Amino acid sequence: ALTGALARGLWLAAIEAAELMADLGRRDEAWAALLAGRERIASTGSRVYEILSLLLEAKLALRLDHDLPRAARALAEAERRGCARYAVTAELAGVRRGLQLLLAGRDHDAVLELDTAVSAMRTSGRHLELPTAAAYLSEALWRTGDEDGADAAADLALEVATAQGPRHLLLQALEDVPSVAVRRADAEPTHSSRWHELVSALSAARPVTGCAVPLLTLEDFGPVRLVADGREVHARLAKSVELLAYLLSRPAASARRQAVLEALFPGRSGTTGRSYLRQAVYRLREALPDGLSLLQDGDVYRLTPVSAVASASGTLQRLLAEAARQDGEHRWETLQRALAVAERGPYFDSLSTHWLDTRRAELEAVLQQARVDAATVALHLGRVREARRLAHAVLDDDPYREQAWRLALCAAEAAGSDDELLDLYRGYLRVMKELGVPPSADLRRLVDRLRR
């Protein structure tokens, strides 16, 4: 048996390190940490840790790569080494097999596997992975026509995750089966439920890769700047900087030539567009520091290594993904850091092309939702002044967002300002009249309750 200190160190090196890298979206580092951990496990001869490592391999294969054959091989090997002999590994194996079966479309088999795992966890009192298992079970039950069972399983997932505190594992599971959260949110009578908060968090939870000290940073909010080693770098073509921004907005900082042409040079004839693109590529390569390259593999352009280049918008998305996995003061602080990233001004300020305008609108929508989320957290923490400020900032830009009206009204009530509450409600009624729609019954009930 491993001593307590040795077991804790082994868990950190062999399991937690890979889990953390996966959570951050750093796929290659997650797999490297898994393999390094196995070397540590081999030196101890621990059969349980060997099995845990195989179950982690299945998890990474499913969540990072959707590699069902690799997951199946890892689960089979864990079974061969006796994972069923240990209650904790048997439960974890059930969760991993359940997700594998869901992804393979074997929904009835998934129900049997996940129901067994959920029942075992509830009986044993090992609840850490119970929200994950219950979320997967909810999806499996829904697919097989058991809507009431699906709702009950989803509510169990939320109940246990809420009792545990951090909602990270529940959000991680809902990223695999997001329709579970959407269905439960749709069934809620108000738009301020925990399920609505989770749906909002899921929209921001896509991990964005990056490194602590990138070789090149694109400041893309406000006046655009390229910074390398603390010094501003000047690209000779504005389209080169736009090309950099486009690649950084794409998965793995890569894109096919046709997609780049359509985004950056719409309407150009084939020959002309390709000529403009070659110039933009050439000038961007001139501006890149040593250690960072723009490669072309066939018709695919790729920045490499992607961890050596960062952008302010990428930092914004990374912080929002981090906040989505937090609660309380930690979430508030991370949301504040995220919003501060965009304080320099609009995305690619004063520049306008079709792609930049589209990207600017996307990021503005992300920022507005982040302000709403921050206002919600501030209100829960009793930071009434900050909640009022954020809610009003959203309404100044988007007076048709009902969630912001709700937050502003609740903040006014929390501040004890009856006059402000009534003024806000009159403003809300005017906006609804402009739209030609009646005020929502939900908001009317809220105002009646607050006034009482």
Side-chain angles (χ1 to χ4, degrees):
L2 300 175
T3 65
L6 179 58
R8 286 193 295 273
L10 187 58
W11 179 266
L12 179 63
I15 307 297
E16 286 290 342
E19 293 264 21
L20 177 60
M21 292 300 102
D23 290 347
L24 294 173
R26 291 154 67 168
R27 174 193 175 279
D28 293 345
E29 291 170 76
W31 284 114
L34 174 77
L35 297 177
R38 285 197 176 158
E39 294 182 5
R40 291 281 298 272
I41 291 170
S43 68
T44 68
S46 170
R47 176 60 60 88
V48 172
Y49 271 90
E50 289 177 355
I51 295 169
L52 288 171
S53 180
L54 287 164
L55 296 178
L56 178 56
E57 179 181 354
K59 179 180 180 179
L60 297 184
L62 293 169
R63 300 202 73 249
L64 296 180
D65 299 339
H66 281 227
D67 189 340
L68 301 188
R70 180 169 186 174
R73 289 193 299 272
L75 289 168
E77 182 62 19
E79 187 70 30
R80 191 186 70 79
R81 298 194 187 194
C83 77
R85 298 177 193 169
Y86 310 98
V88 63
T89 55
E91 291 166 3
L92 289 176
V95 178
R96 306 299 173 242
R97 278 195 295 267
L99 178 57
Q100 178 206 7
L101 292 167
L102 273 177
L103 294 176
R106 296 170 57 187
D107 303 326
H108 288 281
D109 292 337
V111 168
L112 295 174
E113 196 73 56
L114 292 164
D115 188 53
T116 300
V118 167
S119 297
M121 290 175 183
R122 298 184 77 175
T123 300
S124 68
R126 285 183 287 271
H127 287 176
L128 183 61
E129 291 269 353
L130 181 52
T132 300
Y136 292 163
L137 177 59
S138 176
E139 178 67 15
L141 288 167
W142 177 271
R143 292 185 188 180
T144 55
D146 186 354
E147 297 183 14
D148 291 339
D151 290 346
D155 291 341
L156 173 64
L158 180 59
E159 176 188 343
V160 175
T162 302
Q164 289 177 171
R167 56 186 184 175
H168 163 63
L169 287 178
L170 176 57
L171 271 170
Q172 188 180 84
L174 291 173
E175 287 173 5
D176 297 327
V177 286
S179 55
V180 170
V182 173
R183 281 193 295 266
R184 294 305 291 130
D186 287 343
E188 292 292 328
T190 72
H191 293 283
S192 56
S193 71
R194 288 297 300 272
W195 283 113
H196 283 88
E197 290 182 19
L198 288 168
V199 171
S200 174
L202 283 171
S203 68
R206 179 173 61 87
V208 179
T209 56
C211 72
V213 186
L215 297 175
L216 182 70
T217 299
L218 171 62
E219 294 286 353
D220 46 9
F221 285 109
V224 179
R225 297 172 65 236
L226 278 176
V227 179
D229 195 24
R231 296 178 292 103
E232 187 168 356
V233 176
H234 296 281
R236 297 178 63 179
L237 281 179
K239 277 294 179 186
S240 297
V241 182
E242 190 178 347
L243 171 61
L244 175 65
Y246 181 77
L247 291 173
L248 289 176
S249 74
R250 309 296 298 170
S254 66
R256 292 191 177 278
R257 178 170 53 198
Q258 189 58 38
V260 177
L261 287 169
E262 291 173 358
L264 271 61
F265 305 103
R268 302 287 187 183
S269 65
T271 302
T272 303
R274 286 194 294 271
S275 175
Y276 283 135
L277 177 57
R278 283 194 297 272
Q279 294 178 46
V281 167
Y282 176 72
R283 295 305 182 188
L284 177 55
R285 284 172 172 156
E286 279 187 332
L288 296 179
D290 293 341
L292 177 62
S293 303
L294 173 57
L295 303 180
Q296 183 177 358
D297 182 6
D299 68 339
V300 175
Y301 291 100
R302 183 177 78 256
L303 288 164
T304 186
V306 67
S307 59
V309 58
S311 66
S313 57
T315 300
L316 167 70
Q317 292 179 284
R318 176 180 58 78
L319 289 170
L320 292 179
E322 182 180 335
R325 292 170 166 80
Q326 296 173 328
D327 288 294
E329 288 285 352
H330 291 299
R331 189 174 186 210
W332 164 254
E333 292 170 2
T334 305
L335 285 169
Q336 290 298 100
R337 288 163 54 205
L339 292 172
V341 170
E343 287 181 351
R344 293 182 67 241
Y347 183 75
F348 269 74
D349 192 19
S350 76
L351 296 177
S352 179
T353 67
H354 177 72
W355 177 78
L356 286 177
D357 293 344
T358 300
R359 177 68 171 156
R360 186 178 298 119
E362 291 172 353
L363 289 171
E364 184 53 38
V366 168
L367 283 166
Q368 286 290 65
Q369 186 58 52
R371 294 182 185 107
V372 168
D373 292 344
T376 302
V377 176
L379 201 56
H380 288 167
L381 294 174
R383 297 176 175 271
V384 178
R385 180 180 298 176
E386 287 92 340
R388 293 165 79 185
R389 174 180 59 81
L390 287 161
H392 284 280
V394 174
L395 290 173
D396 286 344
D397 289 336
D398 184 4
Y400 305 115
R401 188 181 285 257
E402 184 166 308
Q403 192 177 6
W405 285 107
R406 170 186 293 280
L407 287 166
L409 287 163
C410 290
E413 189 272 339
S417 179
D418 294 340
D419 291 341
E420 181 182 354
L421 189 153
L422 292 174
D423 285 343
L424 281 166
Y425 188 55
R426 293 189 189 103
Y428 167 72
L429 293 176
R430 285 194 297 272
V431 170
M432 293 301 101
K433 187 176 181 180
E434 290 175 14
L435 291 175
V437 298
S440 74
D442 185 31
L443 211 56
R444 283 203 308 271
R445 285 194 296 270
L446 172 65
V447 172
D448 289 342
R449 179 176 63 80
L450 295 179
R451 291 178 70 183
R452 285 196 300 270

